[in-house]
Amino acid sequence: MVSVAPSSAQETGKSFVEDFSSLEKSRWYVSDGWTNGDHQNCTWAADQVKVADGALNLGYQRRQAKDREHVCGEIQTKARFSYGTYEARIKAAAGSGFNTGFFTYIGPAQKQPWDEIDFEFLGKDPSKVQLNTYVNGKGGNEKLVDVPGGADKDFNDYAFVWEKDRLRYYINGKLVHTVTDPAALPTQAQKIYLSLWASDNMKSWLGTFSSPASPVAAQFTRVAFTALGDPCQFPESVACSLD
């Protein structure tokens, strides 16, 4: 989903691997103090972004913040990235109304056309993940794909390989979806986002929300970008076996 972003982002990001031994402040911007619109029932809060024991924890809990009754967590890269392999190791949050996101986005907040590439984990059914793209603000390219064992039960590896004429999605190294329609292929360099949020009013998509009795969290233990033509950066990387 669309996200507000700082306007001073770098134009070109280079290959990196983030293992969350700490939160690299030169790479990541922590969203704090706003929401993405009426669909989001929580305010981004810096204290919902925590790194410990090699994992990024994005939290969600009941607490009044501005005009919302809950707070939630998001980070985004300061740089924008273009064609290459994007990867994340994720344990998504479960619960009707929740959305765990690993996606890339650029749009009006950066005075650019709205392009986006998504992995979105709908907490109402963690057995699947939704894939999608937006090109110049036009979406409608959703596809639900099974996640072996469930996205909320354990960590799984998610990746997409974005090229000029093709977009390929992978789960645990297995190709699960390919996009070749030019109308569904983004072209603008984008920022990388990791997020957890919920909604009261998107019931048909996310399910009916119920405020959780205890804090909810999504976890990430690795995020990586490998530019096209660069060598793969870790043994499990999809970039190591691309054709």
Side-chain angles (χ1 to χ4, degrees), residues 7 12 16 22 25 35 42 61 64 74 78 104 111 119 133 141 144 168 171 173 179 205 209 229:
S7 59
T12 305
F16 74 88
S22 63
K25 296 296 179 65
T35 71
C42 55
Q61 67 181 58
Q64 189 74 33
E74 177 187 74
K78 295 180 178 180
T104 57
K111 299 180 180 180
F119 275 101
T133 62
N141 304 302
L144 285 172
R168 290 174 284 176
I171 298 178
V179 179
W205 181 41
F209 172 80

Side-chain angles (χ1 to χ4, degrees), residues 57-196:
N57 291 268
L58 298 181
Y60 182 103
Q61 67 181 58
R62 188 176 185 89
R63 189 180 82 224
Q64 189 74 33
K66 296 190 174 180
D67 62 343
R68 301 295 198 270
E69 295 182 352
H70 301 84
V71 289
C72 49
E74 177 187 74
I75 64 172
Q76 50 183 279
T77 56
K78 295 180 178 180
R80 305 173 191 178
F81 299 83
S82 188
Y83 300 128
T85 300
Y86 296 73
E87 303 177 86
R89 186 163 176 79
I90 306 169
K91 186 177 183 180
S96 184
F98 284 91
N99 183 311
T100 302
F102 162 46
F103 62 100
T104 57
Y105 165 80
I106 201 72
Q110 299 87 22
K111 299 180 180 180
Q112 298 289 326
W114 174 7
D115 276 10
E116 186 172 339
I117 304 172
D118 296 322
F119 275 101
E120 291 187 288
F121 302 87
L122 314 185
K124 67 179 183 180
D125 183 7
S127 70
K128 302 179 185 300
V129 61
Q130 179 178 283
L131 317 178
N132 197 12
T133 62
Y134 286 81
V135 177
N136 198 21
K138 183 180 179 181
N141 304 302
E142 297 91 347
K143 182 179 177 63
L144 285 172
V145 176
D146 290 336
V147 177
D152 63 321
K153 300 301 183 185
D154 205 346
F155 286 95
N156 291 278
D157 292 301
Y158 303 91
F160 62 83
V161 180
W162 178 26
E163 300 167 286
K164 181 179 179 181
D165 300 315
R166 180 173 56 172
L167 174 64
R168 290 174 284 176
Y169 289 89
Y170 295 80
I171 298 178
N172 296 329
K174 179 182 178 182
L175 180 65
V176 295
H177 184 50
T178 301
V179 179
T180 56
D181 178 3
L185 288 171
T187 59
Q188 307 295 320
Q190 302 171 53
K191 293 153 59 70
I192 301 170
Y193 291 77
L194 309 175
S195 64
L196 174 64

